Amino acid sequence: MKKIIPTETRKQEIFATSAKLFKEKGYSAVTMRDLAQTLGIKAASLYNHIHSKQEILSHIILSIAEEFTEGMTQILNSKESSIQKLKKIIILHVEITSNNSNGMASLNNDWMHLEEKQDYYLELRLNYEDNFRSIIKQGIASNELKAVDPDVTLFSILSTLRSLYLWIPKKEEINKDVLAGNLGEVLLDGINK
Amino acid sequence: MKKIIPTETRKQEIFATSAKLFKEKGYSAVTMRDLAQTLGIKAASLYNHIHSKQEILSHIILSIAEEFTEGMTQILNSKESSIQKLKKIIILHVEITSNNSNGMASLNNDWMHLEEKQDYYLELRLNYEDNFRSIIKQGIASNELKAVDPDVTLFSILSTLRSLYLWIPKKEEINKDVLAGNLGEVLLDGINK
DNA sequence: TAACTAAACTAACAAGTGTTAGTTTGATAT
DNA sequence: ATATCAAACTAACACTTGTTAGTTTAGTTA
């Protein structure tokens, strides 16, 4: 009957460990017993800190999704060229993914297992993509970008940025600014000489 | 009164339906009862056609992986410029993904649930990536391509091609050749004017 | 018609699932 | 020393999982 207020750091530890396991096996394949064992406790003990498995997934995904939304808003509000805005988007992805590559895996691969929060997530994602596309269209209109189908451009850039979570952990030695620079070069200027 | 369905077709039907469900929810979240219900039969009846859930996944993923391996071999053996080889790789991905976008989802997202066949799959994938990278390096050496880090280039192009399964089903009206052409433009020449 | 057979069925299983209830532990503050 | 309480524990639950065994159904062939 007692109300228990758990340690905040332990809760963060649960989120971090969950994200790691979700990345390796996917949300559905990770059991509460797997998670508990990795943390060195019993499954039931997890419920002193969180309410449900679902809450863990929601927190991991939505906190990142909101971070992207926030970043996009700031980029939209900046008075810069479209090319500069695209470069800022690349930096945004490199930054967020560097700080939370495990969480990015869940966002990419396990969002469909969100229940009540799925609609909210999809709304954020759709908004993000719409804003991204509008920057590309603006770039074409202002003659900064080639007049390729904006959807193809959006798809191509976003696919690469969304896959960063697979790649960044393997290239820890590389500097974030260097990576963002290289990506900008490849994505914007191409590789053909 | 009852519809008679030839055996081999039924097995193919199971693979196709599985791939569709695996794409929507992931391998682990799809139960044999889900699969059976979608096919309009009982779960136990599935075992008249397949040996295990695992066999379904293995077949879906490995048949595609071998198709890629075969395609890459032919491209390597062709005596063409590196740029032309890269364009052929793009066509290969568009082609295979168009024919089996659901299976591509499993290949991308559920390969870690392969059991005995996982090592074989990873070997095929590693080989494919090595061959891809060697074409890029060859292009740089022959002065066809800019001297960007080949890993960044590989990562960027492959990320886009691997994500095609998410995009192609939504753009059914578009012609495969047109899509491959647009992708080649964006991926090779960039979008910056 | 009778035998054969592919492919469906019902029933059951052992193991594993997320979660709850109630209890114990051990460090901290009085 | 005692009381407090976050955070661990044990035990159990109702349900779901992949899979097996044995049976029925209904077309095809002899």
Side-chain angles (χ1 to χ4, degrees), chain B residues 145-193:
Chain B
L145 300 183
K146 293 178 190 167
V148 194
D149 181 347
D151 280 329
V152 175
T153 302
L154 173 63
F155 162 71
S156 172
I157 298 181
L158 207 39
S159 294
T160 297
L161 297 180
R162 280 184 176 146
S163 304
L164 276 170
Y165 78 95
L166 289 168
W167 204 64
I168 284 187
K170 295 183 191 164
K171 290 263 168 178
E172 241 172 88
E173 78 275 3
I174 213 166
N175 179 288
K176 280 189 274 186
D177 299 330
V178 172
L179 174 58
N182 280 346
L183 278 173
E185 222 180 308
V186 170
L187 292 176
L188 303 180
D189 297 327
I191 57 172
N192 202 351
K193 216 165 189 174

Side-chain angles (χ1 to χ4, degrees), chain A residues 34-168:
Chain A
D34 289 337
L35 174 55
Q37 192 165 42
T38 306
L39 288 161
I41 60 178
K42 300 290 176 182
S45 305
L46 290 167
Y47 292 83
N48 286 322
H49 306 277
I50 49 98
H51 299 91
S52 65
K53 190 187 180 189
Q54 182 62 210
E55 181 203 322
I56 300 176
L57 184 69
S58 297
H59 179 271
I60 290 172
I61 293 179
L62 292 180
S63 63
I64 299 178
E66 286 168 351
E67 218 179 323
F68 273 108
T69 299
E70 160 96 15
M72 178 60 88
T73 301
Q74 292 193 2
I75 291 168
L76 283 175
N77 288 338
S78 70
K79 304 262 181 257
E80 302 192 74
S81 68
S82 301
I83 287 279
Q84 280 308 314
K85 283 179 181 167
L86 292 179
K87 285 184 177 170
K88 280 196 166 185
I89 290 177
I90 292 171
I91 290 169
L92 179 68
H93 279 258
V94 169
E95 196 65 41
I96 292 178
T97 306
S98 296
N99 295 337
N100 197 353
S101 71
N102 294 334
M104 283 300 298
S106 296
L107 182 136
N108 278 310
N109 303 322
D110 285 321
W111 60 266
M112 72 283 279
H113 299 117
L114 290 172
E115 290 164 12
E116 312 95 68
K117 299 286 178 62
Q118 182 173 322
D119 287 350
Y120 174 51
Y121 165 76
L122 287 175
E123 186 192 321
L124 291 186
R125 187 174 79 174
L126 188 65
N127 257 306
Y128 187 84
E129 290 175 2
D130 284 345
N131 288 330
F132 203 147
R133 193 183 295 104
S134 78
I135 291 174
I136 292 170
K137 284 183 177 170
Q138 169 63 33
I140 295 172
S142 66
N143 224 26
E144 292 177 76
L145 301 182
K146 294 176 188 167
V148 193
D149 181 347
D151 280 327
V152 175
T153 302
L154 172 63
F155 162 71
S156 173
I157 298 181
L158 207 39
S159 294
T160 298
L161 297 180
R162 280 183 176 147
S163 304
L164 276 170
Y165 78 96
L166 289 168
W167 204 63
I168 283 187

Side-chain angles (χ1 to χ4, degrees), chain B residues 3 11 22 43 71 88 114 134-135 145 149:
Chain B
K3 213 191 310 186
K11 192 166 182 177
F22 292 169
K88 280 196 165 183
L114 291 172
S134 80
I135 291 175
L145 300 183
D149 181 347

